Structure formats: structure tokens, C-alpha cells
Amino acid sequence: MIFVGLLIAVPLGWTLYLSVTDSEGSVRAASNLVGLSNYLEVLTDTERFWPAVMRTFVFTGGALAIELVLGMCIALLLWRPFRGEKWVRVAILLPLVATPVAVGMMWRLIFDPNIGFANQVLSWIGIPAQPWLSGQYTALPTLMFVDIWQWTPMVVLMLLAGLTSLSDEPDEAARIDGANSWQRFWFVTLPLLRATVIVTIVLRGIDALKTFDILYATKGKGGGSFHEVETLNIYAFGLSFDYNDYGIASTVLILFFLLIIAIMWVLTYRRKANRS
């Protein structure tokens, strides 16, 4: 526990220290304490910081909502035994096998505006080619689709584990009382599964907030020419490794860390309230 605590505390403490300095060029170079001026500069930055915050929430919220709905539908289909279910489960889990960078490069080729398979399919049905990853307004939704493709299986696994732990008696009682499939799901299964759903939202939501690999592998520095997919992770990475502005980058990371802690606290409190 001490070892793990040090692994967390030392980098976090060092980042917190850098966030109140004017460190740039090199973390070993001499720097001066500037107090909270970095935080004031970042929080008043309406050109890069707040748009990055908005993109982070749009990406996380949109991907998580669709993954949750789609994952619930697939989990319900896999809940009851059927012929060939093992093969179906293996097929569903295949996207989790590849690393995020490999997934990003694969989809980058698929969505290539010139040789990509996606535009070839559209041409077969008479739809003009789309910019996909190269468009200022289509890049973020396209990458949300990629995230949904890769991480919905994880949501399926978590929800399926919760479903298999439920007792059959409440569902059978509702069936005897004449409830249809939708009523049994909405009024019986979903309330019993609420704790599992909240845990899934917490774990997958935090993971989606921290998404970096797919975004950087497909769009590169700055999240694209117009910063169209620049989330807080991409923004902090650029400040650190492209501009070597470690003071501002550390400030962004500390604010991002506090944001994640706040979201975790709200969801955990909601889970405890549901239990009580």
C-alpha cells in the first residue's frame, strides 16, 4: 500500500508543484513560483482550454450514452442461453483484443477520403464521399464511433455479469402478473441492475474521459488542423511535448484530475443514495 501510494503521490505532487511555477523548456531548468497565475490564465482561456473541455464532455458523454444503450441491448440478448452463444461472445469481444493505437490506425485507413473502404461503400449506394476524419465537424463524431466500436464489448461484459447475478424470481413473478417484456425490463430488471449500471458508468466514463491513443493516432498534434478533436488530454500533451510549457500543462492536468475526482464523487454518492 505504501509503494502504490508513493506511485500516486509523487507524480501528482510534482505535477502540482509545476502548476504553480513558470517551468518551461526543461523541467530541470530554473523556474520561479508564480502562485495561481497559471490557473487564472488557463481558466480564462476561451480559445483552447474551454473548447477542449467541451470536446472532452461531448466525446465522453456521447460515446458513453451509446455504449450503455447498445451494451445493454447486447447483454440482454446474451443473457439467456442459446445455440452458439460462446462463438457469439468471442466475436463480440474481438475489438478489445487490439491496442487503441492499432485500432486508430486501422480506422484511419478505413476512413481515408481517397482510398478508404467507407467511402467506397457509400459510392456503391450513390452517396457522395464524406470527409470523415478530415472534416472539421465530422472528425469528433467519427472518433466517437470508433470508441463505441472498441469499448462497447467492455460494457457488455460488465452488464452481463450483473444480469447473470440476478435472481429469476422477480422476473417470473412479473410474468405471472401479466407484465410484457418491456415492463419486466423497465420495472424489474433495470431497478435490480441499477448498481451495476452506475459502476459501469463510473469505470467506462473515467476511461473515456482519459482517451488519448485513438485521438492522437488518427489526428496527430493539436487534435487536427482546427483542433477539432483536441480534448484536455491532447491539449495537455501538446503543451508539454510540443511547446515544453510545463507550468501551464501541469495546470491543465491538475484541473483535469480535479474534474475526474468530482465526477467520481458525484456518481459514487448517487450509488450510495440508491442503495439506501
Side-chain angles (χ1 to χ4, degrees):
M1 291 178 63
I2 293 174
F3 178 71
V4 174
L6 288 174
L7 285 179
I8 297 173
V10 172
L12 182 60
W14 180 245
T15 304
L16 183 60
Y17 167 74
L18 289 176
S19 71
V20 294
T21 68
D22 58 357
S23 176
E24 60 180 354
S26 172
V27 292
R28 296 184 179 181
S31 58
N32 301 310
L33 291 174
V34 294
L36 299 178
S37 63
N38 286 341
Y39 289 87
L40 182 62
E41 180 180 346
V42 169
L43 291 174
T44 55
D45 179 11
T46 57
E47 293 185 5
R48 297 286 293 276
F49 177 74
W50 287 111
V53 172
M54 182 193 69
R55 293 187 200 99
T56 302
F57 276 106
V58 169
F59 179 87
T60 302
L64 180 60
I66 297 175
E67 287 167 8
L68 197 62
V69 174
L70 189 59
M72 179 66 77
C73 294
I74 297 174
L76 289 171
L77 290 174
L78 299 178
W79 185 15
R80 305 302 182 188
F82 60 92
R83 188 175 181 180
E85 65 173 309
K86 292 182 179 180
W87 295 105
V88 174
R89 291 187 181 188
V90 170
I92 290 175
L93 295 178
L94 283 178
L96 290 177
V97 176
T99 61
V101 172
V103 170
M105 297 304 295
M106 177 188 72
W107 283 102
R108 184 177 179 179
L109 290 173
I110 292 174
F111 288 125
D112 186 277
N114 299 315
I115 62 173
F117 182 70
N119 279 337
Q120 281 190 335
V121 173
L122 292 182
S123 66
W124 294 342
I125 56 179
I127 299 178
Q130 301 298 315
W132 302 115
L133 291 171
S134 59
Q136 184 176 355
Y137 301 106
T138 58
L140 191 62
T142 301
L143 288 174
M144 287 168 58
F145 167 79
V146 175
D147 188 85
I148 292 166
W149 176 85
Q150 183 174 26
W151 294 109
T152 297
M154 174 183 169
V155 177
V156 173
L157 281 179
M158 299 181 69
L159 295 179
L160 188 58
L163 285 170
T164 54
S165 67
L166 297 181
S167 173
D168 292 333
E169 294 178 0
D171 186 75
E172 291 175 358
R175 188 192 301 270
I176 293 173
D177 288 339
N180 57 36
S181 299
W182 171 253
Q183 291 171 331
R184 295 200 308 273
F185 167 74
W186 188 257
F187 294 106
V188 179
T189 304
L190 192 58
L192 293 173
L193 201 63
R194 186 173 299 169
T196 303
V197 171
I198 293 177
V199 170
T200 303
I201 292 174
V202 171
L203 296 179
R204 181 65 201 116
I206 292 172
D207 198 35
L209 278 171
K210 300 184 298 180
T211 300
F212 174 83
D213 315 64
I214 292 177
L215 302 178
Y216 194 81
T218 53
K219 296 297 293 182
K221 297 180 180 180
S225 303
F226 300 97
H227 311 296
E228 55 266 26
V229 300
E230 186 181 63
T231 60
L232 285 174
N233 264 331
I234 299 294
Y235 181 45
F237 181 88
L239 288 171
S240 298
F241 297 101
D242 295 336
Y243 300 104
N244 297 329
D245 195 346
Y246 300 110
I248 297 297
S250 298
T251 302
V252 172
L253 290 173
I254 291 296
L255 291 173
F256 192 22
F257 175 76
L258 294 176
L259 177 65
I260 293 175
I261 293 296
I263 294 173
M264 285 180 60
W265 182 84
V266 170
L267 292 175
T268 303
Y269 178 79
R270 179 69 180 274
R271 183 187 176 193
K272 291 181 178 178
N274 287 333
R275 284 184 173 181
S276 60

PDB file of all heavy atoms in Angstrom, residues 25 92 220:
ATOM      1  N   GLY A  25      10.671  24.806 -21.216  1.00  0.00           N
ATOM      2  CA  GLY A  25      11.931  24.403 -21.829  1.00  0.00           C
ATOM      3  C   GLY A  25      12.420  23.067 -21.326  1.00  0.00           C
ATOM      4  O   GLY A  25      12.662  22.146 -22.088  1.00  0.00           O
ATOM      5  N   ILE A  92     -17.915 -10.830 -30.260  1.00  0.00           N
ATOM      6  CA  ILE A  92     -18.202  -9.511 -29.692  1.00  0.00           C
ATOM      7  C   ILE A  92     -16.982  -8.941 -28.984  1.00  0.00           C
ATOM      8  O   ILE A  92     -16.741  -7.727 -28.992  1.00  0.00           O
ATOM      9  CB  ILE A  92     -19.411  -9.604 -28.737  1.00  0.00           C
ATOM     10  CG1 ILE A  92     -20.688  -9.853 -29.543  1.00  0.00           C
ATOM     11  CG2 ILE A  92     -19.546  -8.345 -27.899  1.00  0.00           C
ATOM     12  CD1 ILE A  92     -21.909 -10.070 -28.695  1.00  0.00           C
ATOM     13  N   GLY A 220      -3.205  13.286 -34.794  1.00  0.00           N
ATOM     14  CA  GLY A 220      -1.878  13.843 -34.566  1.00  0.00           C
ATOM     15  C   GLY A 220      -1.878  15.039 -33.630  1.00  0.00           C
ATOM     16  O   GLY A 220      -2.766  15.203 -32.793  1.00  0.00           O
TER      17      GLY A 220
END
